[in-house]
Amino acid sequence: VNGVMTASGTAGLAANYGHLLDANGNPTATVPPGQDTSHTPGTNADGTPMGLYTDQGATSGAFAGKVNFSGTGGVTLNGTNYTVVNELAELAAAKNDPAGHYVLGSDIYGLTATSWEGALADTTAFTGAFNGFGHLVVLPELTGSGLFGTIGSGAVVSNLGITAATVNAGSTSKPAAGILANVNQGSIINSFADGELKNTNIDSAGGLVGDNFGLIAQSYFQGKVFATKIAGGLVGTNEAGGRIIESAVRGPISNYHQ
């Protein structure tokens, strides 16, 4: 998606990718003729999952492509129904189902230390899918954790921007923290974070992800990281099984060891 799409009223959205469709328009397990079969079906040659992606454009801190969705017809991606999140309360409700599938229909505001506690998948790893549709979580004020606790194996977070974020030190130490996720064991695709990570009592601090065991692709961080131990701009620690492709730190960045 390289522009702005809007669906409202009774409109719905259905997208299928990487598989042939049956007579009813539902995706099958069959890959299209001519698709490279040297890699896993449903993935690109670099290992990133096929999907609906929004264009980042030339300006950092925003997406040029996005899907504004407030329609009542629902969102279905590759045959799976997704819950549309348009308000902070709906985002908070996602904490109750870490195996769910979600899309952002609009930017999210109002996430503060008093309105938000903990993280998405704080105690149980997130194993679903979260497609930001090119939207932002704006000016979040987080305490002791990034937006996600742990993105689990098989989970995909894509097209999500977190802008002007502040992550303040929590009352207890943590093994890892990053503005988007403390730990990534799944896939983070086409996403970014900018802001300040002030967790000074963590073992591994990263601007985007604290500790990466999974895949980070086409993503970036810009901002400041304050730490007393291991720290990095994009990730604090990239483990042996972690992959980072076409991702970087943009603009001036400062890592402060205190």
Side-chain angles (χ1 to χ4, degrees):
V1 179
N2 59 8
V4 178
M5 296 175 56
T6 299
S8 59
T10 59
L13 173 65
N16 297 295
Y17 31 79
H19 297 273
L20 291 177
L21 305 181
D22 63 20
N24 297 317
N26 297 312
T28 70
T30 305
V31 298
Q35 180 176 310
D36 183 357
T37 57
S38 63
H39 49 84
T40 304
T43 66
N44 300 300
D46 61 4
T48 56
M50 292 182 177
L52 188 157
Y53 293 111
T54 55
D55 182 23
Q56 290 184 14
T59 303
S60 294
F63 289 91
K66 68 173 64 179
V67 180
N68 299 321
F69 193 92
S70 60
T72 59
V75 173
T76 303
L77 303 179
N78 256 16
T80 299
N81 293 325
Y82 279 65
T83 299
V84 180
V85 173
N86 277 305
E87 299 177 356
L88 180 60
E90 295 170 336
L91 182 63
K95 295 178 182 179
N96 300 323
D97 184 9
H101 294 72
Y102 305 94
V103 297
L104 290 186
S106 59
D107 293 344
I108 301 297
Y109 295 85
L111 199 160
T112 66
T114 56
S115 66
W116 182 270
E117 183 177 354
L120 293 169
D122 197 9
T123 58
T124 301
F126 179 75
T127 56
F130 194 104
N131 191 325
F133 268 10
H135 290 291
L136 311 174
V137 178
V138 182
L139 285 169
E141 182 181 344
L142 302 160
T143 301
S145 175
L147 184 65
F148 286 86
T150 297
I151 298 172
S153 177
V156 180
V157 175
S158 61
N159 306 319
L160 176 63
I162 303 175
T163 185
T166 301
V167 179
N168 294 304
S171 57
T172 59
S173 62
K174 280 185 174 293
I179 291 176
L180 193 151
N182 298 339
V183 177
N184 175 47
Q185 300 166 345
S187 297
I188 297 172
I189 314 293
N190 196 45
S191 297
F192 69 85
D194 74 64
E196 295 187 354
L197 176 66
K198 297 181 177 180
N199 267 1
T200 56
N201 56 351
I202 57 178
D203 295 332
S204 182
L208 190 74
V209 173
D211 199 357
N212 180 52
F213 296 81
L215 172 66
I216 299 173
Q218 293 90 46
S219 298
Y220 66 91
F221 169 73
Q222 57 185 12
K224 298 178 180 179
V225 177
F226 297 80
T228 57
K229 299 180 181 179
I230 298 171
L234 188 71
V235 302
T237 302
N238 190 48
E239 302 289 352
R243 294 183 63 214
I244 300 174
I245 57 177
E246 297 180 349
S247 299
V249 170
R250 293 188 181 179
I253 180 169
S254 300
N255 285 350
Y256 296 91
H257 284 265
Q258 300 176 331

Short mmCIF file of all heavy atoms in Angstrom, two decimals, residues 149-152 155 175-178 180-189 204-206 208-217 219 230 234-245 247:
data_model
loop_
_atom_site.label_atom_id
_atom_site.label_comp_id
_atom_site.label_asym_id
_atom_site.label_seq_id
_atom_site.Cartn_x
_atom_site.Cartn_y
_atom_site.Cartn_z
N GLY A 149 5.72 -7.04 25.57
CA GLY A 149 6.66 -7.71 26.44
C GLY A 149 7.52 -8.66 25.61
O GLY A 149 8.66 -8.37 25.28
N THR A 150 6.93 -9.80 25.23
CA THR A 150 7.62 -10.77 24.38
C THR A 150 6.77 -11.07 23.15
O THR A 150 5.61 -11.45 23.28
CB THR A 150 7.91 -12.08 25.12
OG1 THR A 150 8.79 -11.83 26.22
CG2 THR A 150 8.54 -13.11 24.21
N ILE A 151 7.35 -10.87 21.97
CA ILE A 151 6.74 -11.32 20.73
C ILE A 151 7.23 -12.75 20.51
O ILE A 151 8.41 -12.99 20.31
CB ILE A 151 7.14 -10.42 19.55
CG1 ILE A 151 6.65 -8.99 19.80
CG2 ILE A 151 6.57 -10.95 18.23
CD1 ILE A 151 7.16 -7.98 18.79
N GLY A 152 6.30 -13.70 20.58
CA GLY A 152 6.67 -15.11 20.61
C GLY A 152 6.97 -15.69 19.23
O GLY A 152 6.71 -15.07 18.19
N ALA A 155 4.81 -15.37 15.80
CA ALA A 155 4.04 -14.13 15.79
C ALA A 155 4.63 -13.15 14.78
O ALA A 155 5.83 -13.17 14.51
CB ALA A 155 4.01 -13.50 17.17
N PRO A 175 15.53 -8.28 32.39
CA PRO A 175 16.62 -8.78 31.55
C PRO A 175 16.75 -8.02 30.24
O PRO A 175 17.83 -7.95 29.67
CB PRO A 175 16.26 -10.24 31.33
CG PRO A 175 14.80 -10.33 31.60
CD PRO A 175 14.49 -9.30 32.63
N ALA A 176 15.64 -7.46 29.72
CA ALA A 176 15.69 -6.78 28.43
C ALA A 176 14.55 -5.80 28.30
O ALA A 176 13.47 -6.01 28.87
CB ALA A 176 15.66 -7.79 27.28
N ALA A 177 14.77 -4.74 27.51
CA ALA A 177 13.70 -3.78 27.21
C ALA A 177 14.01 -3.06 25.91
O ALA A 177 15.16 -2.77 25.60
CB ALA A 177 13.52 -2.76 28.34
N GLY A 178 12.96 -2.81 25.13
CA GLY A 178 13.03 -2.01 23.90
C GLY A 178 11.70 -1.31 23.74
O GLY A 178 10.69 -1.74 24.29
N LEU A 180 9.62 -0.98 21.13
CA LEU A 180 8.57 -1.79 20.51
C LEU A 180 8.37 -3.09 21.28
O LEU A 180 7.23 -3.47 21.55
CB LEU A 180 8.91 -2.09 19.04
CG LEU A 180 7.76 -2.65 18.20
CD1 LEU A 180 7.92 -2.26 16.74
CD2 LEU A 180 7.65 -4.17 18.30
N ALA A 181 9.45 -3.78 21.61
CA ALA A 181 9.32 -5.04 22.34
C ALA A 181 10.54 -5.27 23.21
O ALA A 181 11.67 -4.97 22.80
CB ALA A 181 9.14 -6.21 21.37
N ASN A 182 10.32 -5.83 24.37
CA ASN A 182 11.45 -6.21 25.22
C ASN A 182 12.22 -7.37 24.60
O ASN A 182 13.44 -7.36 24.55
CB ASN A 182 10.95 -6.60 26.61
CG ASN A 182 10.26 -5.46 27.32
OD1 ASN A 182 10.45 -4.30 26.99
ND2 ASN A 182 9.41 -5.80 28.29
N VAL A 183 11.48 -8.38 24.14
CA VAL A 183 12.08 -9.58 23.56
C VAL A 183 11.33 -9.92 22.28
O VAL A 183 10.09 -9.89 22.24
CB VAL A 183 12.01 -10.77 24.54
CG1 VAL A 183 12.58 -12.03 23.89
CG2 VAL A 183 12.74 -10.45 25.83
N ASN A 184 12.07 -10.24 21.22
CA ASN A 184 11.45 -10.70 19.98
C ASN A 184 11.93 -12.10 19.64
O ASN A 184 13.12 -12.34 19.45
CB ASN A 184 11.80 -9.76 18.82
CG ASN A 184 11.26 -10.29 17.50
OD1 ASN A 184 10.10 -10.69 17.41
ND2 ASN A 184 12.09 -10.30 16.47
N GLN A 185 10.96 -13.04 19.57
CA GLN A 185 11.23 -14.39 19.13
C GLN A 185 10.50 -14.69 17.81
O GLN A 185 10.63 -15.77 17.25
CB GLN A 185 10.77 -15.40 20.19
CG GLN A 185 11.47 -15.21 21.53
CD GLN A 185 10.79 -15.97 22.66
OE1 GLN A 185 9.65 -16.42 22.53
NE2 GLN A 185 11.48 -16.11 23.78
N GLY A 186 9.73 -13.73 17.33
CA GLY A 186 8.95 -13.89 16.12
C GLY A 186 9.49 -13.04 14.99
O GLY A 186 10.69 -13.04 14.73
N SER A 187 8.60 -12.28 14.33
CA SER A 187 8.99 -11.45 13.19
C SER A 187 8.47 -10.03 13.38
O SER A 187 7.27 -9.84 13.64
CB SER A 187 8.45 -12.02 11.88
OG SER A 187 8.99 -13.30 11.62
N ILE A 188 9.35 -9.06 13.24
CA ILE A 188 8.99 -7.65 13.22
C ILE A 188 9.35 -7.13 11.83
O ILE A 188 10.52 -7.14 11.44
CB ILE A 188 9.74 -6.85 14.30
CG1 ILE A 188 9.37 -7.35 15.69
CG2 ILE A 188 9.45 -5.36 14.17
CD1 ILE A 188 10.21 -6.75 16.81
N ILE A 189 8.33 -6.71 11.08
CA ILE A 189 8.53 -6.34 9.69
C ILE A 189 8.01 -4.92 9.46
O ILE A 189 6.91 -4.57 9.92
CB ILE A 189 7.78 -7.29 8.73
CG1 ILE A 189 8.02 -8.77 9.12
CG2 ILE A 189 8.18 -7.03 7.28
CD1 ILE A 189 9.41 -9.25 8.95
N SER A 204 19.84 -5.69 29.00
CA SER A 204 20.04 -5.47 27.57
C SER A 204 18.99 -4.48 27.06
O SER A 204 17.80 -4.80 27.02
CB SER A 204 19.92 -6.80 26.81
OG SER A 204 20.15 -6.62 25.42
N ALA A 205 19.44 -3.29 26.69
CA ALA A 205 18.53 -2.22 26.26
C ALA A 205 18.73 -1.92 24.79
O ALA A 205 19.86 -1.71 24.33
CB ALA A 205 18.78 -0.95 27.09
N GLY A 206 17.64 -1.91 24.02
CA GLY A 206 17.70 -1.57 22.60
C GLY A 206 16.61 -0.61 22.24
O GLY A 206 15.51 -0.65 22.81
N LEU A 208 14.71 -0.38 19.52
CA LEU A 208 13.54 -1.08 18.99
C LEU A 208 13.22 -2.31 19.82
O LEU A 208 12.08 -2.50 20.25
CB LEU A 208 13.77 -1.47 17.53
CG LEU A 208 12.55 -2.00 16.78
CD1 LEU A 208 11.60 -0.85 16.44
CD2 LEU A 208 12.97 -2.74 15.49
N VAL A 209 14.22 -3.16 20.04
CA VAL A 209 14.05 -4.44 20.75
C VAL A 209 15.22 -4.62 21.71
O VAL A 209 16.38 -4.37 21.35
CB VAL A 209 14.01 -5.62 19.76
CG1 VAL A 209 14.01 -6.96 20.49
CG2 VAL A 209 12.78 -5.52 18.85
N GLY A 210 14.92 -5.09 22.91
CA GLY A 210 15.98 -5.33 23.88
C GLY A 210 16.81 -6.56 23.56
O GLY A 210 18.04 -6.52 23.54
N ASP A 211 16.14 -7.68 23.29
CA ASP A 211 16.84 -8.95 23.03
C ASP A 211 16.15 -9.63 21.86
O ASP A 211 14.95 -9.95 21.93
CB ASP A 211 16.79 -9.83 24.28
CG ASP A 211 17.85 -10.92 24.27
OD1 ASP A 211 18.60 -11.02 23.28
OD2 ASP A 211 17.94 -11.67 25.27
N ASN A 212 16.89 -9.86 20.77
CA ASN A 212 16.29 -10.40 19.55
C ASN A 212 16.74 -11.83 19.29
O ASN A 212 17.93 -12.10 19.09
CB ASN A 212 16.65 -9.53 18.34
CG ASN A 212 16.03 -10.07 17.06
OD1 ASN A 212 14.83 -10.31 17.00
ND2 ASN A 212 16.86 -10.26 16.05
N PHE A 213 15.77 -12.74 19.27
CA PHE A 213 15.99 -14.14 18.90
C PHE A 213 15.39 -14.44 17.53
O PHE A 213 15.60 -15.53 16.99
CB PHE A 213 15.34 -15.07 19.92
CG PHE A 213 15.90 -15.00 21.31
CD1 PHE A 213 15.52 -13.99 22.18
CD2 PHE A 213 16.82 -15.94 21.76
CE1 PHE A 213 16.01 -13.93 23.48
CE2 PHE A 213 17.32 -15.89 23.05
CZ PHE A 213 16.93 -14.89 23.91
N GLY A 214 14.59 -13.52 16.99
CA GLY A 214 13.81 -13.78 15.79
C GLY A 214 14.27 -12.97 14.60
O GLY A 214 15.47 -12.77 14.38
N LEU A 215 13.31 -12.47 13.83
CA LEU A 215 13.57 -11.74 12.60
C LEU A 215 13.13 -10.29 12.74
O LEU A 215 12.01 -10.01 13.17
CB LEU A 215 12.82 -12.40 11.43
CG LEU A 215 12.83 -11.65 10.09
CD1 LEU A 215 14.24 -11.61 9.51
CD2 LEU A 215 11.87 -12.30 9.11
N ILE A 216 14.01 -9.37 12.37
CA ILE A 216 13.68 -7.95 12.24
C ILE A 216 14.03 -7.55 10.83
O ILE A 216 15.18 -7.72 10.39
CB ILE A 216 14.45 -7.08 13.25
CG1 ILE A 216 14.11 -7.49 14.69
CG2 ILE A 216 14.13 -5.61 13.03
CD1 ILE A 216 14.95 -6.78 15.75
N ALA A 217 13.06 -7.03 10.07
CA ALA A 217 13.30 -6.70 8.67
C ALA A 217 12.63 -5.37 8.32
O ALA A 217 11.54 -5.06 8.79
CB ALA A 217 12.76 -7.80 7.76
N SER A 219 13.04 -2.36 9.20
CA SER A 219 12.60 -1.62 10.39
C SER A 219 13.73 -0.70 10.87
O SER A 219 14.89 -0.87 10.48
CB SER A 219 12.19 -2.59 11.50
OG SER A 219 11.09 -3.38 11.09
N ILE A 230 24.38 -3.63 28.79
CA ILE A 230 24.43 -3.79 27.34
C ILE A 230 23.39 -2.88 26.70
O ILE A 230 22.24 -2.83 27.14
CB ILE A 230 24.17 -5.26 26.96
CG1 ILE A 230 25.25 -6.17 27.52
CG2 ILE A 230 24.09 -5.42 25.44
CD1 ILE A 230 24.96 -7.64 27.36
N LEU A 234 19.45 -0.21 17.57
CA LEU A 234 18.32 -0.98 17.06
C LEU A 234 17.93 -2.08 18.04
O LEU A 234 16.77 -2.20 18.42
CB LEU A 234 18.67 -1.60 15.71
CG LEU A 234 17.52 -2.28 14.97
CD1 LEU A 234 16.54 -1.23 14.44
CD2 LEU A 234 18.05 -3.14 13.81
N VAL A 235 18.89 -2.90 18.44
CA VAL A 235 18.65 -3.95 19.44
C VAL A 235 19.78 -3.90 20.47
O VAL A 235 20.90 -3.49 20.17
CB VAL A 235 18.58 -5.36 18.81
CG1 VAL A 235 17.48 -5.43 17.77
CG2 VAL A 235 19.92 -5.76 18.21
N GLY A 236 19.46 -4.33 21.68
CA GLY A 236 20.50 -4.43 22.69
C GLY A 236 21.38 -5.62 22.45
O GLY A 236 22.61 -5.52 22.39
N THR A 237 20.77 -6.79 22.26
CA THR A 237 21.49 -8.04 21.99
C THR A 237 20.81 -8.76 20.84
O THR A 237 19.58 -8.93 20.85
CB THR A 237 21.50 -8.96 23.22
OG1 THR A 237 22.09 -8.27 24.32
CG2 THR A 237 22.28 -10.23 22.95
N ASN A 238 21.59 -9.17 19.84
CA ASN A 238 21.08 -10.02 18.77
C ASN A 238 21.63 -11.42 19.00
O ASN A 238 22.82 -11.66 18.86
CB ASN A 238 21.49 -9.51 17.40
CG ASN A 238 20.78 -10.22 16.27
OD1 ASN A 238 19.56 -10.39 16.31
ND2 ASN A 238 21.52 -10.65 15.26
N GLU A 239 20.75 -12.34 19.39
CA GLU A 239 21.19 -13.68 19.77
C GLU A 239 21.62 -14.48 18.54
O GLU A 239 21.41 -14.06 17.40
CB GLU A 239 20.05 -14.40 20.51
CG GLU A 239 19.56 -13.69 21.75
CD GLU A 239 20.55 -13.72 22.91
OE1 GLU A 239 21.57 -14.43 22.79
OE2 GLU A 239 20.32 -13.04 23.92
N ALA A 240 22.19 -15.66 18.77
CA ALA A 240 22.74 -16.48 17.69
C ALA A 240 21.70 -16.79 16.62
O ALA A 240 22.02 -16.85 15.43
CB ALA A 240 23.32 -17.77 18.26
N GLY A 241 20.44 -16.99 17.02
CA GLY A 241 19.40 -17.30 16.05
C GLY A 241 18.70 -16.08 15.48
O GLY A 241 17.80 -16.21 14.65
N GLY A 242 19.09 -14.89 15.91
CA GLY A 242 18.43 -13.67 15.46
C GLY A 242 18.90 -13.23 14.09
O GLY A 242 20.08 -13.36 13.75
N ARG A 243 17.96 -12.70 13.29
CA ARG A 243 18.28 -12.18 11.95
C ARG A 243 17.81 -10.74 11.85
O ARG A 243 16.67 -10.43 12.22
CB ARG A 243 17.61 -13.00 10.85
CG ARG A 243 18.10 -14.43 10.71
CD ARG A 243 17.40 -15.09 9.54
NE ARG A 243 17.72 -14.41 8.28
CZ ARG A 243 16.88 -14.27 7.26
NH1 ARG A 243 15.63 -14.72 7.37
NH2 ARG A 243 17.25 -13.67 6.15
N ILE A 244 18.68 -9.89 11.34
CA ILE A 244 18.32 -8.49 11.11
C ILE A 244 18.67 -8.18 9.66
O ILE A 244 19.83 -8.28 9.26
CB ILE A 244 19.09 -7.54 12.05
CG1 ILE A 244 18.77 -7.88 13.51
CG2 ILE A 244 18.73 -6.09 11.75
CD1 ILE A 244 19.59 -7.08 14.51
N ILE A 245 17.66 -7.81 8.86
CA ILE A 245 17.90 -7.52 7.45
C ILE A 245 17.25 -6.19 7.09
O ILE A 245 16.14 -5.87 7.51
CB ILE A 245 17.39 -8.65 6.54
CG1 ILE A 245 15.90 -8.92 6.74
CG2 ILE A 245 18.17 -9.92 6.75
CD1 ILE A 245 15.34 -9.98 5.79
N SER A 247 17.60 -3.22 8.05
CA SER A 247 17.14 -2.45 9.21
C SER A 247 18.31 -1.66 9.77
O SER A 247 19.47 -2.06 9.63
CB SER A 247 16.57 -3.39 10.28
OG SER A 247 15.45 -4.11 9.78
#
